[in-house]
Structure formats: C-alpha cells, structure tokens
Amino acid sequence: MQRFPEGFLWGAATAAHQIEGNNVHSDWWRAEQAGLLPHRSEAACDSWNAWRDDIALLKEIGLNAYRLSLEWARIEPEPGYFDQLAIDTYKAQLEALKEAGIEPLVTLHHFTSPRWLADRGGWSNPDVVPRFVNYAQHVAQHTKDLVRWWVTINEPSILAFKAYLEGSWPPHQPRNLRGYVRLMRHARRGHALVRQVLKASRQDAMVSIAFAIWPLQPVRRWSPIDQAMARLGDWFWQGRIMRRSLPALDWIGVNYYSRTFVGWPWPHNPPTTGEKTDFGWEVYPQGLYDVLLRVGCFNKPVVITENGISDADDDQRADYIVAHLREVHRAILAGVDIRGYMHWTLLDNFEWAEGFEQRFGLATRERELRPSARVYGGIARANAITSRLSAG
Ligand code: FCB
C-alpha cells in the first residue's frame, strides 16, 4: 500500500472556456464563429449554469480539491468594465466549494482572453501586463477569503507555441517568433506582478504558474544533433520561463501528460511502440517521476495541476491514474514536497481545436461518472493506493 501525506489535495481540473459555454466575449469564441477553428464550443457543458452539478460530481467521487479557472472575458467584457454578475457567480461557486470542504485552486488565465485584449495585440503587447494586474486586483478584492491557491497563467509555453509558432490557435500567427518571445516575457512579468497583488490581499496566498512539462527526448539517443535539439528545445520552450519565474513562485504547478521526441530532420515519427491514448499520446508514467524530480530540485511545494487521458471507452483510465499516482508516490519518497494531484478532467468537455471528440472526463458530458472515477475516488478517500486498487 502506498500512503500519501496527511492533507494531500485530491482534485480534478477544468477550464472555464472548456466547460462553461457561451463565452461570447472571448477571442476563442470569435475565432470559432469566424470559422478559424474547426469546432465551436457552443454551450460546452453548460457549467456556467450547472456548476452546482459539477460540485456534486466532485463530492460523489470523493475529492477534496478542485482546480477551476475564472474567465477574464466574462469578468471584464469591456476594458475597465467589470461585470458584477460574473464575479458573484464565481463567488457563489467558491462559497459552495468551501461549504463542501473542497479546496479551490483558481486559475486566472487559461488560454482564452477578452476580445478587446486580443484587438490590442493580446499577450504580445506589453500593455497586457498592467491590464492583467488590474483584472487580478478586481478578482482578489472579491475573493480573498475564499482562495488560497492560485495559478496565474496556464501553460504559457503551449499557448505561445499554438498561437505564434504553429498558428493554429488565436491569434493564428504561424512562425511569429517575435510574438512567441513576447508572450512568454509578458506572461512572466504579468505573473510576478499579479502574485504581489494576490499576496497583498491575502498573506498566505500561494501563487504559481501551471507549467506544461513534456520531457523532450532525442529521437536517436546516440545522436549529438538530436541531443542538442532536445536540450535546446527544452530550454527555449519550458526550462527558460520556469527558471526565470522561480523567484516569483510560491509553489510549482506541473501539467504532465506524456513525453515528446525531437531530432533532425523534424518532424519525424516518434520511436515508441508503447500504449497510446485516443489522442495518440504515449502513456509514459515514468516521465511524471522524472518531471517531479526535476522541479523538486527547486525546493518548493509542487502540485500536479493536470494529468489525464483521452479515453472514450474508459478501458485505460483507471490503470493510467494508478500508474501515474505510483510515480507521484515514488517522487514523494524521493523527497519532493508534493501537495496534491488534480486529474484532468472532471467531465468531457471542449478540447480546444479537437472540439468534443477527445474524452478526458472522469464523467461524461451528461455528468455520468465513468467506472475509473470510482477507482480514483477510492484512492482519494483512502489517501492511499491500496493493493486492491493497484493496476498491473
Ligand atoms: C492541457 C490544457 C487543458 C487540456 C489538456 C488536455 O494542455 O491545459 O486545457 O486541454 O491539455
């Protein structure tokens, strides 16, 4: 049996645009309507109205934490105009979580931005920094007693890559290296300043970024070119922002899904034959251990802010969860101060450019729990992986 530390946070993670529905003031909604994205989020999971059902699901599974995001485009639909109804709705949600004994981890920016911000160059314009601070100030003022754990920005490296290198996400600017670098810089600066705001409004606030960390490995292990590409790619894409943000991190948020390979020529077929998810991502639990040890060197608390699997028929998810949690436990034994695990995700939702096709949910969009949710809930309730639950 593998026991977890007392008070370990067992949660699920979601993001506003993916579940709330009708996020009409956001850049994503506009791009969806304009046909720039292959799918439309429409009503998503209707969580803007049905959030009580989401909390009921968390309770039913047996979780004591929930990572959710606030939608900037709802809270500030026009520059400088704050929508009180939006704030009140989020407040009611946070109060209900408190009442249910569920610790919230709140993300301020999860990929989507207000349309008006996008019109001004979004994250590539330095003006985003004071705007982001202003938004955070407003949020903090209304929620300070309700939230201790904050994520300022979700996966800046993924957003920068998709938006400015691949160009498949708003603002759809492929090969704009300048945009990429600027987004990363402004995310780092915005984070540091917003952290000060959150800590000024609540002393014990714990503020981080949720970093996407995909171990980058050389396609040909023996090749110095592939090795150099892996190292350089990692530094440019993930290592740099993490290192530079370090002084402004109270803890480290880790989003881990799988590993990726780099080598010359690029792109290429990854040299793996292992199990794949519906998304085509390799199941590679050992990578989570490696990542946790990597961030463990910084001597700060760590929370796995996302880890999960696209698995529509739910025949891999339970094993995936157990295998990854074993790696989490191994990392704890190795001395990493891990405080929690947020499974991605609570319910099937709008998976960005993949629409509703990828099913990452512990529950379906109709909010029916999948069998794997019971396995995860069993672990959370026991605060341990018991031999009865162990996979393999
Ligand atoms: C992460 C995102 C999250 C979700 C998962 C599958 O990169 O943070 O919103 O899309 O991937």
Side-chain angles (χ1 to χ4, degrees), residues 4 7 11-12 24 34 42 50 62 82 101 111 148 163 177 196 240 248 264 284 289 310 324 342 357 362 373 385 389:
F4 286 77
V24 299
E42 309 279 355
F82 291 97
F111 294 158
R148 174 159 185 244
L177 193 60
Q196 286 174 12
R240 190 162 174 259
W264 189 259
Y284 184 62
Y289 177 78
S310 172
H324 284 79
M342 305 297 123
E357 272 149 41
L362 290 164
I385 308 173
L389 292 166

Side-chain angles (χ1 to χ4, degrees), residues 14-15 18 67 110-111 154-155 158 169 210 212 214 255 257 279 281 306 308 344-345 349-352 360:
T14 60
Q18 293 179 272
R67 177 177 172 226
H110 196 124
F111 294 158
N154 183 68
E155 298 188 344
I158 298 279
W169 287 8
W214 289 66
N255 290 3
Y257 288 91
F279 216 143
W281 296 350
E306 285 180 33
W344 184 270
T345 180
N349 60 40
F350 180 73
E351 179 47 43
W352 308 113
F360 278 89

